[in-house]
Amino acid sequence: MQEAIILVGGKGTRLRPLTNHTPKPLLGVAGSSFIRHQVAKLMNAGVEHLVFATSYLAGLFEEEFRGFSEGLDISYAVEEVPLGTGGAIRNAGQRLRGPADAPVLVLNGDILSGVDLRAVLAHHEANDADVTLHLTRVADPRAFGLVPTDASGRVLSFLEKPKTQEECVTDQINAGCYVFRRSVLDAIPGDREVSVEQETFPRLVADGGRVFGHTTDDYWRDLGTPLAFVHGSADLVTGRATSPLVGPPAEALVHPTATVHPSARVTGGSTVGPHAVIGPRVAVDRSIIGARVTVAEGARIHESVVDHDSSIGNESFLCEVVVGCHAHVGAENELPAQLRLSCGIRIPTQGVRVSGTAAACLTAH
């Protein structure tokens, strides 16, 4: 039996207010909760038993998958106190059923990746590895920890975020997908906070453990910020990224129960959720419109998220904005980039007008 763990315990603070009441992996991406895209990918890789490493709003994961019966056995491991990435993996490992030498896939719950999981598993087994990490290359690695490897792919060290370009000895970074030998996973301390990136992996390398990198140029995106979240969803719809749950590439993914006026334009990989209403002359581009959202005539929404049960007034303009659930943006508002509106907030007609915001946003895109 192939087994896997998904780390879904984080609070998703960078995505608030979207995560005020919903864990990040349960947010809607390209027509499904993001976690369902990951589960489908794992099932395609042959996983038969999956353990969710949960903490924040843990019960919502069980609600999401209650009655799920598609050939996958799901277990839940709740983290009662913060244990770090390593501690969470060790805690979830207690629910595993395989032998000591069995490979265990581990995924971060907020990474959208095109990597072939079967290829990572094959690479792990071919090297008789203790741990195999999926590594990806980035243009500017200074925001990440670096993972240099030798010619055979064996990991040489784990380096903290470099401060200068000269310290960038490699462009390879940890992509948030691992294969552990079960016995290595079980050896992680289970009674305290442990970071696999700062403690487990460096110690394995220092002790001569067989730690390998599987480096690819596949699609990769961390969905931890609102703009990255929007872009990841759009990339799935347009086909730049793939998921077993998304059909052929399209300009938009509109739920069958949603209503879109014939004069409206929904483009750029946008999604429109159940029972949403998109009015006349509305332009929605590369955005996520949640369930039961109403967008009035002439409004323009670009690279933004409007969470469920909210409304956008006529002729309002949103660019790189997050609107929390049950919020109302009145008519003729112009919301500046990076603005986040809390759940339930109400902005009156012409309540926010930032001179030049609309033009600057349109010019930038």
Side-chain angles (χ1 to χ4, degrees):
M1 175 183 289
Q2 181 63 58
E3 296 188 288
I5 294 169
I6 300 185
L7 303 175
V8 292
K11 293 183 177 181
T13 53
R14 293 181 296 164
L15 280 171
R16 288 176 178 166
L18 300 176
T19 52
N20 283 356
H21 311 290
T22 304
K24 178 168 46 176
L26 293 181
L27 294 174
V29 173
S32 299
S33 62
F34 180 60
I35 196 67
R36 285 188 177 262
H37 292 289
Q38 287 192 307
V39 167
K41 185 179 179 73
L42 286 167
M43 291 178 68
N44 272 7
V47 171
E48 299 172 79
H49 178 218
L50 172 62
V51 183
F52 285 120
T54 64
S55 179
Y56 177 62
L57 299 174
L60 294 182
F61 289 94
E62 294 195 47
E63 288 183 25
E64 175 79 4
F65 289 95
R66 185 171 290 123
F68 187 85
S69 57
E70 299 180 22
L72 180 69
D73 190 5
I74 298 177
S75 302
Y76 301 90
V78 181
E79 190 177 331
E80 302 294 350
V81 296
L83 295 173
T85 49
I89 291 169
R90 175 65 178 86
N91 186 53
Q94 297 177 79
R95 301 285 193 275
L96 297 173
R97 302 163 186 167
D101 61 346
V104 180
L105 269 165
V106 179
L107 298 184
N108 285 356
D110 56 0
I111 300 296
L112 177 59
S113 170
V115 69
D116 182 342
L117 295 179
R118 290 185 185 270
V120 182
L121 283 164
H123 191 84
H124 177 81
E125 292 173 351
N127 287 298
D128 189 30
D130 294 314
V131 175
T132 300
L133 297 85
H134 174 218
L135 306 179
T136 191
R137 299 183 180 92
V138 294
D140 185 358
R142 285 175 295 179
F144 305 92
L146 309 183
V147 187
T149 55
D150 66 16
S152 70
R154 192 158 183 169
V155 173
L156 299 173
S157 61
F158 290 85
L159 306 176
E160 292 297 317
K161 295 177 182 178
K163 295 181 175 61
T164 65
Q165 195 63 45
E166 290 71 30
E167 293 177 322
C168 296
V169 298
T170 180
D171 59 357
Q172 295 177 161
I173 67 166
N174 178 356
C177 167
Y178 322 108
V179 183
F180 278 80
R181 190 192 302 273
R182 168 81 193 267
S183 58
V184 174
L185 184 155
D186 289 340
I188 298 173
D191 56 351
R192 61 179 176 86
E193 189 169 340
V194 180
S195 165
V196 290
E197 300 88 351
Q198 297 178 20
E199 180 177 342
T200 306
F201 295 155
R203 182 170 295 171
L204 269 173
V205 170
D207 291 345
R210 297 185 61 78
V211 181
F212 284 82
H214 178 73
T215 305
T216 76
D217 295 315
D218 295 307
Y219 179 97
W220 183 86
R221 191 184 293 277
D222 178 347
L223 301 187
T225 66
L227 198 57
F229 178 71
V230 168
H231 287 178
S233 180
D235 288 346
L236 282 168
V237 175
T238 59
R240 187 179 174 208
T242 60
S243 165
L245 302 185
V246 181
E251 271 292 297
L253 186 60
V254 179
H255 194 274
T257 63
T259 302
V260 178
H261 192 275
S263 64
R265 293 183 297 109
V266 183
T267 59
S270 296
T271 61
V272 179
H275 304 289
V277 178
I278 308 299
R281 298 187 302 105
V282 167
V284 177
D285 179 60
R286 211 176 190 191
S287 294
I288 298 173
I289 306 299
R292 299 173 298 280
V293 166
T294 300
V295 184
E297 182 172 359
R300 291 174 293 164
I301 301 174
H302 181 78
E303 292 192 326
S304 298
V305 183
V306 183
D307 208 359
H308 65 88
D309 297 289
S310 292
S311 58
I312 308 298
N314 61 284
E315 303 298 337
S316 282
F317 182 84
L318 285 66
C319 178
E320 297 181 15
V321 169
V322 175
V323 179
C325 62
H326 298 280
H328 171 70
V329 177
E332 300 179 28
N333 278 285
E334 189 177 289
L335 305 186
Q338 310 305 318
L339 183 66
R340 302 188 190 192
L341 301 181
S342 299
C343 296
I345 200 168
R346 300 186 68 82
I347 297 180
T349 297
Q350 295 186 347
V352 179
R353 299 286 291 176
V354 182
S355 177
T357 297
C361 182
L362 290 173
T363 300
H365 298 92

